[in-house]
Amino acid sequence: MAVGLGPLPTLHPVPGFELGIASAGIKRPGRKDVVVMRCAEGSTIAGVTTTNAFCAAPVLITRERLQGEVRYLLTNTGNANAGTGPDGLVRARRSCAKLAELAGVSEDAVLPFSTGVIGEPLPVEKIEAALPAALADLKVDNWAQAAEGIMTTDTQPKGACRQFEHDGVTVTITGISKGAGMIRPNMATMLGYIATDAKVAGDVLHALVRDAANKSFNRITIDGDTSTNDCCMLIATGQAALPEITAASGELFAKLKQAVFDVFMEIAQAIVRDGEGATKFVTVQVNGGGNHQECLDVAYAVAHSPLIKTALFASDPNWGRILAAVGYAGVPNLDVSKIDVFLGEVCIASQGGRASTYTEAQGAAVMAREEITIRIELGRGDCSETIWTTDLSHEYVKINAEYRT
């Protein structure tokens, strides 16, 4: 039921970054559910991870190893290895150790990632058995296959690519993501991997991934649930014949930043478009806030309201539900007489009540669309924020009621 999400675009290879896919049969026999990614020697890597206190064992290990020299990323689907205690750490480390042994690298050079059911022991023997096939499959042009290999309840693979020229050299940024439910990243289950052949210093790359994630993955929500396993990694292989970017300034950095932001935004919004049971892609834009946080508070109050989300599914312009959510968002000293609310281009509420020009037919026409914008003007200042979300359908309940069966 993906909204406006077509086939994968062309995902250009990133020199110095290879991907291999294999089947471990973790949840279903024959399903491609193990993905190995190899970074060229000298690559830099930066990432952001979930803020959930019950973060999964692989997240803890990835955090430990992220500052070192990373050569391999190991992802399994079908099992989150979260809520598994000390045994989960043992199993995650064992899978990394096996990959390190087969690849001839230090165990600390392997980062683990898992996604799937929470609370079940990681079937490490199955993963170990699949690793030789994944290593044998390593190719620079396996992005599309890897996008499928990291899926769980996703209905479509998600990827994006940008290229730009600098001093006659082509720089490539390619990324994939997965996620359709348990989505409200705070850095769903959400994973993202983005690679570039630019050469970027570690501190610059860390700042870049934080900024990019904050404007993309940290601005999407499907159900308000922050996963135990959220991770987003940005890898710079340094294979492009250009100088190293050592500062967040200059023409080369500006070009790279824009391209990275574009890829992050596209694969983050693809998660919303493929939200579990989603029939609507909804933009919630809040302008005129006194600060950015109150804009986000209002936006998330609207995006997380079950009453608003079900009205969106029903194409019912029940604008009173939007006003109520704005009112309980917790903005201090909110003057409702200054607030205007728009559904698409239609003003539905103004100065604390129904807009004098509004008709039910206008609202119904907007709500019938697959892509809808809810715009709220607070009239308090100059700050703005935008997030993206979905409706809440019968199918969402069905998918999550039957997830473990």
Side-chain angles (χ1 to χ4, degrees):
M1 299 177 71
V3 182
L5 190 61
L8 280 174
T10 299
L11 301 178
H12 293 289
V14 175
F17 194 76
E18 302 164 283
L19 309 94
I21 304 92
S23 174
I26 293 171
K27 196 170 180 180
R28 293 200 310 273
R31 189 202 184 285
K32 296 292 183 70
D33 51 11
V34 169
V35 177
V36 171
M37 304 176 189
R38 178 164 64 192
C39 314
E41 269 191 274
S43 298
T44 52
I45 182 168
V48 288
T49 61
T50 182
T51 59
N52 193 311
F54 264 108
C55 62
V59 175
L60 293 172
I61 296 170
T62 289
R63 288 175 182 168
E64 290 174 3
R65 299 177 177 178
L66 199 52
Q67 301 305 317
E69 183 179 356
V70 175
R71 293 296 312 284
Y72 287 84
L73 291 76
L74 170 60
T75 302
N76 73 269
T77 68
N79 184 295
N81 195 10
T84 49
D87 180 65
L89 289 167
V90 170
R91 290 171 183 260
R93 292 186 192 280
R94 179 177 153 184
S95 65
C96 290
K98 184 62 176 179
L99 177 54
E101 175 192 334
L102 292 170
V105 298
S106 162
E107 183 181 337
D108 288 343
V110 180
L111 302 185
F113 305 88
S114 297
T115 178
V117 176
I118 294 172
E120 299 291 336
L122 184 73
V124 66
E125 298 85 359
K126 291 183 177 181
I127 295 172
E128 289 176 333
L131 290 177
L135 287 169
D137 189 52
L138 284 167
K139 302 182 188 71
V140 294
D141 58 356
N142 259 350
W143 282 97
Q145 291 79 3
E148 293 183 2
I150 63 174
M151 291 166 55
T152 50
T153 59
D154 309 59
T155 68
Q156 291 184 226
K158 303 163 182 67
C161 183
R162 295 291 188 277
Q163 292 183 310
F164 65 86
E165 298 285 328
H166 186 81
D167 289 345
V169 177
T170 299
V171 177
T172 301
I173 303 93
T174 300
I176 57 175
S177 66
K178 65 81 50 185
M182 196 178 275
I183 298 292
R184 187 191 177 182
N186 280 322
M187 353 161 240
T189 314
M190 194 287 298
L191 296 176
Y193 304 99
I194 302 92
T196 177
D197 54 345
K199 189 172 182 62
V200 188
D203 58 340
V204 177
L205 199 69
H206 280 279
L208 183 57
V209 74
R210 285 195 301 270
D211 289 348
N214 276 337
K215 290 300 183 183
S216 56
F217 290 109
N218 285 348
R219 295 294 184 269
I220 64 173
T221 181
I222 290 173
D223 41 30
D225 280 353
T226 296
S227 167
T228 54
N229 291 62
D230 287 341
C231 288
C232 179
M233 298 291 125
L234 177 60
I235 303 99
T237 68
Q239 300 299 296
L242 288 168
E244 181 178 25
I245 299 173
T246 58
S249 59
E251 183 184 355
L252 177 55
F253 174 77
K255 289 179 179 179
L256 178 67
K257 179 179 178 179
Q258 185 60 59
V260 167
F261 271 47
D262 287 349
V263 170
F264 269 66
M265 185 66 77
E266 189 169 332
I267 61 177
Q269 289 190 2
I271 290 174
V272 178
R273 292 182 181 280
D274 195 27
E276 289 172 345
T279 69
K280 304 285 175 71
F281 177 81
V282 185
T283 300
V284 183
Q285 181 180 354
V286 180
N287 301 324
N291 57 62
H292 288 282
Q293 188 56 54
E294 68 183 32
C295 292
L296 287 173
D297 289 343
V298 170
Y300 280 118
V302 171
H304 290 156
S305 165
L307 292 177
I308 294 173
K309 293 171 85 70
T310 49
L312 286 161
F313 173 62
S315 298
D316 176 15
N318 193 339
W319 54 270
R321 294 178 176 183
I322 299 174
L323 295 193
V326 173
Y328 66 60
V331 176
N333 304 313
L334 187 63
D335 184 350
V336 298
S337 69
K338 294 182 178 180
I339 296 175
D340 293 336
V341 180
F342 293 79
L343 201 54
E345 66 284 358
V346 177
C347 183
I348 58 176
S350 182
Q351 299 180 339
R354 179 184 183 128
S356 60
T357 57
Y358 174 71
T359 67
E360 188 81 357
Q362 291 175 320
V366 175
M367 290 293 268
R369 301 170 185 168
E370 280 194 341
E371 302 200 17
I372 298 168
T373 296
I374 298 171
R375 177 163 60 91
I376 299 151
E377 301 287 343
L378 294 178
R380 293 166 56 86
D382 299 322
C383 294
S384 298
E385 288 288 351
T386 301
I387 67 170
W388 296 272
T389 190
T390 65
D391 57 340
L392 181 60
S393 69
H394 304 301
E395 188 66 15
Y396 177 88
V397 177
K398 183 176 186 293
I399 290 169
N400 284 283
E402 298 175 354
Y403 181 58
R404 297 205 304 165
T405 56

